[in-house]
Amino acid sequence: TWLDGSIGRVSPLGFGDDTAQVTPKEFVEKMLEYVNQPDKPGVKVVIGKCTGIECTDGDDGEKVVTAVTYQDGEEEEEKVLNADDVIVSAGPWTCQAEKWFDGAIQLPMEGVKSTSIVWKPPTGEDTVDATALFCGEDNRFGTHLEVYPRPDGTVYICGIGGSDYITTSELQDSAFLFDCPPKDDRVEAAASAFQMMSDTYSTRGELAKTQACMRPCPPDAKPYMGRVPGYSGAYINGGHNCWGIAWAPASGKAIAELVLEGESRSVDLRPFNPARYTSQGRGGRGRKKKGLSVGEQW
């Protein structure tokens, strides 16, 4: 095992039959492969930055979504993508939808920008023991590591500490949307903390990647899932914090039911009403709610 260095008390949380790990990139790629099989309807992925939503006036006073405008990721020109329904699922930048829907909805969001690292397999080995590790606070390095060995032999580590907190207004200005760099001091701290507990990686380890991600955190730690008030064909599905990939299948199914059948049968979406922070007179159906600090929102 790679856990062969200086460690404290260790106790199991699970033994494999009741636990699982999902690698985000692999999960998304496999989903795309599945839906694009010859006997499936298929999807087309368009890379770009959303700049707005186009609508027409409906008969009942609601606005009806007709298209999405976006800046093409390759040609850097604004284009229009016609649409009957639009689901905004943009992680921490979901709060930009406030502008796209002309203030009909308020989506307060805090982005938690956190560094993570990925180790190559140790020299001379192709695989590593698949046991995940959740560490307590290490005051020497300011870390509380979470260690996830992956099937390809790499090891992903987060819980590095030193996160930055990005405000709603900064996210609405696209902060870190195109470039989300790691913090060098936290990379060094995480590497040192891990190598203290693993002689294997201390002597034969090499970093494969250093990176950072942005966790989307609404004030009450609940995601935004549901219709945009005053609009037909407009939905929000974002703000899932670090649980986005794990909750993606259930969230996707619930929103698909809402779009195609008019209501979600698999999940009660009322606690996740995206208009819960929308004051009367703006969205019409929401209510103003003061958020409570929930710290790191694990």
Side-chain angles (χ1 to χ4, degrees), residues 14 25 28 39 52-53 65 81 111 127 133 137 144-147 159 168 185 189 206-207 212 226 242 244 265 279:
K25 185 175 185 289
V28 172
D39 60 335
I53 307 293
V65 168
L81 183 65
T127 60
L133 184 67
E137 296 287 341
H144 46 271
L145 298 185
E146 297 182 17
V147 182
T168 300
D185 62 326
E206 181 182 351
L207 284 175
C242 54
R265 294 178 287 102
S279 58

Side-chain angles (χ1 to χ4, degrees), residues 251-270:
S251 297
K253 181 178 181 180
I255 294 297
E257 291 171 347
L258 181 62
V259 172
L260 298 175
E261 303 173 19
E263 64 177 335
S264 170
R265 294 178 287 102
S266 56
V267 177
D268 180 1
L269 294 180
R270 288 176 294 181

